[in-house]
Amino acid sequence: MISFTLRTEDLSIEEIGKFYVDTKHDRENVEFLKSNATGLLIGSRGTGKTMLLKVAEKELLEKFENDRKLPVFVSFSSAALVNNEAEKFKKWMLSKILFALQGQLKELGLLKTKNIFSLLLGKDSEETDELAIRINQLIEKLEKSWKKGITNEEPVTPFVEDIDYFKELLHSICSELNIKSIVFLFDEACHNFLPKQQREFFTLFRDLRDSKICCKAAVYPGITSYGTFEVFHDSIVKRVEKDILAEDYVEKMRDIIERQIDSRTYNILIQKGELLDSLIYAATGNPRVLLKSVYEASEKLTSLKKVNVNSTLKDFYRTQMWNEYTKLGEKFEAYKEIVDWGRTFIEDKVLVETQNKNTRSENEEDYDKQTIYFIIHKDAPELVKKAISILEYAGIVILHTEGYKIRGNIYNRYQINMGIVAASTSETDLSTYINKLRKGLSIKVVTEYGANSLAFKELEQIKNNINFDDGGIDLQTLLNKSIDILDIYEYQKTEIKKKGFCKLIDILNASEIDLQSAYLIGPVRARNIYNLSMNAVLEYIIG
């Protein structure tokens, strides 16, 4: 069965080069990630943050022999499973970084000893072997600390307990191996609603910075608690979202599709070019949303018919995306009221005003122009900003222009997902409507919400009920949920259920051997299934 790969985590470094589509904006971001500047890469789910990190890693590795700049990709996808007591989370982060560095050194053939501690001595020894084993055991223990009774551990080493010792270790490695600098690329750095973890990470992120160490992190908009880390002063911020008004937008998004399927299947899609383009514009620059919607609309990549495209546009953007957004309030109860308000604000106010502007009569100003934009005053209540940023996180809206000036006032201009705009109308032929919408699109036509807009009145009534420091998740409740919530294909869910893996906790308690036995297949596919399921489980847990 032909299908798309929805997550970069499921790709090898060689496949990254095959699947990556270079745009001007993406190229600027990749070059930024390869630089020595400390920075953040911000984008909603599925916009390609991990892909850009992996491309930067790949390109730095290709030039390592000459440039001696070492990229180290570090995934913190298991963070939500780690106990938050005292210094344990910090130890886990430093241990993960250390082992990611060791793995990269081994991959490049630079580590001739068993571990990086032996490297400093120039030979293997029982002492350094024991130290490496203890750190590895610490990682495993902390990643299972969601289970009761296994959170205690003995002191391991100052290298993962004190930041100065840790940095000195890295400097020694650089000196020993003639490495000019190390670029840490943190993925899944703060993609969860555990504010304490996020603050601890950004403290570490800032403290790691020095002449030999550079840090980059991929983060979601809106849900990140930075603590004492000052984003503007302590880092450079880059956005990931693609510009739907760019001349090569359709070409590049088509290229993303083409690189994942064979020529025969791709020809089926491009024979219906306008239908395909309507799906491309509906996705509003989000590659994962595009691939999922194309897969559904094309009946699993077998055909592309207008009736199916229109049905998918209606279901995907009117039902599925909003359902995923609403689940945030169910998963993170501290945010429920603000999540609910955000949906009401967009559906009952912003979309209504947007449709009013898009259906003006010929005798009205700008009757021939279309919009998917709205602006919010920079001095709007903080809860409004938070609600909008959570909508950003879910991909419902996108920050288009920060600091947009109009009549002497400063606003932020936001772009609503085009598929959601189309699906909110009474139109039946949504594919045709989307093509009309994008042809008349003007960023100058906006709905304005001032600092004290009446549209914000209802949010003021719930502000005392919201405490962002209590934004954690009830992990045990989540783990007992059905695997139906996982973002994997339906046929994969069906097969997994047949073998007894019905809840999230079943996946987390399983091993590759368990899955191999259940599926009666070899170890390669068992590992692929386990990794796919584990990634999906963790992505759901951390948002």
Side-chain angles (χ1 to χ4, degrees):
M1 180 184 295
I2 300 174
S3 61
F4 291 123
T5 300
L6 300 178
R7 290 182 176 80
T8 303
E9 296 91 336
D10 300 324
L11 302 176
S12 66
I13 197 72
E14 291 77 19
E15 289 173 321
I16 293 294
K18 174 187 174 184
F19 286 4
Y20 172 63
V21 176
D22 205 26
T23 68
K24 180 181 178 182
H25 182 58
D26 286 341
R27 175 46 46 190
E28 290 173 353
N29 280 334
V30 169
E31 293 304 320
F32 159 70
L33 291 171
K34 290 157 57 178
S35 74
N36 288 327
T38 297
L40 303 177
L41 194 64
I42 299 181
S44 58
R45 295 177 67 179
T47 49
K49 298 182 298 298
T50 302
M51 175 65 79
L52 294 178
L53 290 173
K54 296 298 288 185
V55 170
E57 178 193 28
K58 181 176 183 294
E59 293 183 2
L60 285 172
L61 286 174
E62 289 171 348
K63 294 185 176 181
F64 177 73
E65 282 299 318
N66 293 324
D67 297 346
R68 308 303 290 181
K69 183 184 288 189
L70 180 70
V72 179
F73 185 89
V74 185
S75 176
F76 285 152
S77 59
S78 303
L81 302 177
V82 178
N83 191 289
N84 285 317
E85 295 176 17
E87 293 285 303
K88 291 179 181 178
F89 187 64
K90 177 182 175 182
K91 292 178 184 177
W92 176 79
M93 287 191 292
L94 290 175
S95 299
K96 291 284 284 188
I97 295 170
L98 209 52
F99 270 80
L101 172 60
Q102 178 174 280
Q104 191 71 291
L105 293 174
K106 284 185 175 180
E107 187 72 23
L108 292 173
L110 296 173
L111 194 61
K112 306 301 182 183
T113 54
K114 288 183 180 179
N115 55 69
I116 56 178
F117 305 108
S118 301
L119 170 69
L120 302 181
L121 293 178
K123 62 179 181 179
D124 291 318
S125 71
E126 291 185 5
E127 183 181 358
T128 56
D129 286 351
E130 178 62 26
L131 181 56
I133 290 171
R134 289 207 308 271
I135 293 177
N136 192 47
Q137 289 174 339
L138 173 68
I139 293 174
E140 292 180 356
K141 186 177 291 186
L142 289 177
E143 289 184 358
K144 293 179 180 179
S145 59
W146 53 275
K147 296 182 179 180
K148 295 182 179 180
I150 60 170
T151 60
N152 296 324
E153 83 281 341
E154 298 297 324
V156 178
T157 169
F159 290 129
V160 297
E161 295 167 357
D162 185 285
I163 190 66
D164 291 328
Y165 275 94
F166 184 83
K167 288 166 72 173
E168 186 59 37
L169 172 63
L170 298 192
H171 276 254
S172 299
I173 292 170
C174 288
S175 176
E176 184 73 24
L177 299 177
N178 188 29
I179 296 172
K180 289 183 179 179
S181 64
I182 300 174
V183 180
F184 287 113
L185 303 168
F186 295 109
D187 195 30
E188 308 292 354
C190 336
H191 299 181
N192 54 56
F193 280 72
L194 302 176
K196 183 179 178 182
Q197 286 185 346
Q198 294 172 6
R199 291 191 290 269
E200 288 179 1
F201 168 76
F202 279 106
T203 297
L204 176 65
F205 188 79
R206 180 185 57 211
D207 292 345
L208 277 174
R209 180 178 55 198
D210 76 0
S211 60
K212 292 286 187 181
I213 305 169
C214 169
C215 297
K216 303 293 196 311
V219 299
Y220 285 152
I223 63 167
T224 306
S225 296
Y226 292 100
T228 59
F229 182 86
E230 297 185 39
V231 175
F232 181 78
H233 295 287
D234 292 334
S235 68
I236 296 173
V237 177
K238 296 289 185 179
R239 304 285 305 199
V240 177
E241 287 81 5
K242 294 172 172 56
D243 181 8
I244 62 173
L245 297 178
E247 289 185 4
D248 62 350
Y249 171 70
V250 170
E251 174 192 344
K252 296 297 185 180
M253 295 297 273
R254 282 187 173 196
D255 202 4
I256 289 173
I257 297 171
E258 184 178 12
R259 293 187 183 215
Q260 290 223 24
I261 53 181
D262 58 52
S263 58
R264 176 183 171 278
T265 305
Y266 183 65
N267 284 334
I268 293 173
L269 301 179
I270 61 171
Q271 283 175 6
K272 303 289 185 178
E274 283 218 348
L275 291 178
L276 181 60
D277 290 351
S278 68
L279 292 167
I280 287 172
Y281 276 103
T284 321
N286 188 309
R288 188 183 300 168
V289 168
L290 171 64
L291 295 176
K292 291 176 70 174
S293 60
V294 167
Y295 188 79
E296 290 187 21
S298 63
E299 297 181 294
K300 301 180 181 178
L301 303 175
T302 59
S303 66
L304 198 61
K305 302 173 183 177
K306 174 168 278 196
V307 63
N308 293 333
V309 170
N310 285 331
S311 175
T312 296
L313 288 168
K314 180 179 178 180
D315 178 65
F316 194 88
Y317 292 99
R318 187 182 294 179
T319 304
Q320 291 186 42
M321 280 195 71
W322 276 120
N323 285 348
E324 285 301 307
Y325 171 78
T326 301
K327 286 178 184 177
L328 295 177
E330 299 171 3
K331 191 192 312 183
F332 310 107
E333 292 186 4
Y335 289 86
K336 187 178 188 310
E337 288 187 275
I338 197 171
V339 167
D340 291 344
W341 180 88
R343 178 168 184 171
T344 300
F345 173 66
I346 295 297
E347 287 190 316
D348 295 352
K349 294 181 172 62
V350 179
L351 286 173
V352 170
E353 286 299 320
T354 299
Q355 295 307 330
N356 288 340
K357 288 179 171 58
N358 289 341
T359 55
R360 283 174 291 200
S361 60
E362 290 188 13
N363 61 351
E364 292 182 272
E365 184 181 0
D366 292 331
Y367 77 91
D368 58 336
K369 295 179 180 177
Q370 302 285 294
T371 184
I372 56 174
Y373 306 100
F374 65 98
I375 58 176
I376 291 183
H377 197 281
K378 70 175 182 64
D379 293 329
E382 287 303 312
L383 276 185
V384 172
K385 297 176 184 177
K386 191 67 177 180
I388 296 300
S389 62
I390 294 174
L391 287 160
E392 280 189 82
Y393 160 78
I396 305 296
V397 304
I398 299 167
L399 177 62
H400 182 275
T401 309
E402 199 166 9
Y404 174 66
K405 192 171 184 179
I406 179 172
R407 297 188 304 276
N409 292 306
I410 307 299
Y411 294 80
N412 286 338
R413 175 165 46 203
Y414 295 92
Q415 171 181 292
I416 318 166
N417 174 281
M418 193 179 287
I420 285 177
V421 172
S424 70
T425 70
S426 59
E427 300 282 343
T428 55
D429 188 352
L430 294 182
S431 59
T432 299
Y433 176 79
I434 285 174
N435 285 322
K436 171 192 171 185
L437 183 62
R438 55 100 173 173
K439 288 176 182 177
L441 208 55
S442 171
I443 63 172
K444 294 182 179 180
V445 179
V446 298
T447 300
E448 178 182 340
Y449 296 93
N452 300 305
S453 172
L454 291 177
F456 306 151
K457 185 177 179 180
E458 294 170 1
L459 191 58
E460 285 294 305
Q461 298 171 3
I462 65 173
K463 65 180 181 181
N464 294 329
N465 301 334
I466 298 172
N467 182 358
F468 293 119
D469 285 335
D470 291 335
I473 56 177
D474 183 348
L475 190 56
Q476 292 302 320
T477 299
L478 282 178
L479 292 175
N480 282 298
K481 286 185 177 291
S482 166
I483 66 166
D484 288 335
I485 65 176
L486 295 183
D487 191 12
I488 57 179
Y489 292 112
E490 289 301 322
Y491 75 88
Q492 292 169 328
K493 294 178 187 177
T494 300
E495 291 303 313
I496 290 172
K497 281 182 178 179
K498 285 180 182 178
K499 306 306 177 182
F501 300 99
C502 300
K503 298 179 180 180
L504 299 188
I505 197 167
D506 297 332
I507 299 292
L508 286 173
N509 278 330
S511 66
E512 291 176 26
I513 294 176
D514 294 331
L515 287 172
Q516 184 179 339
S517 173
Y519 278 81
L520 300 176
I521 56 174
V524 173
R525 191 177 178 202
R527 170 163 291 186
N528 288 339
I529 293 170
Y530 179 82
N531 288 341
L532 179 68
S533 300
M534 179 61 79
N535 285 335
V537 167
L538 291 172
E539 178 153 335
Y540 179 81
I541 289 174
I542 63 181

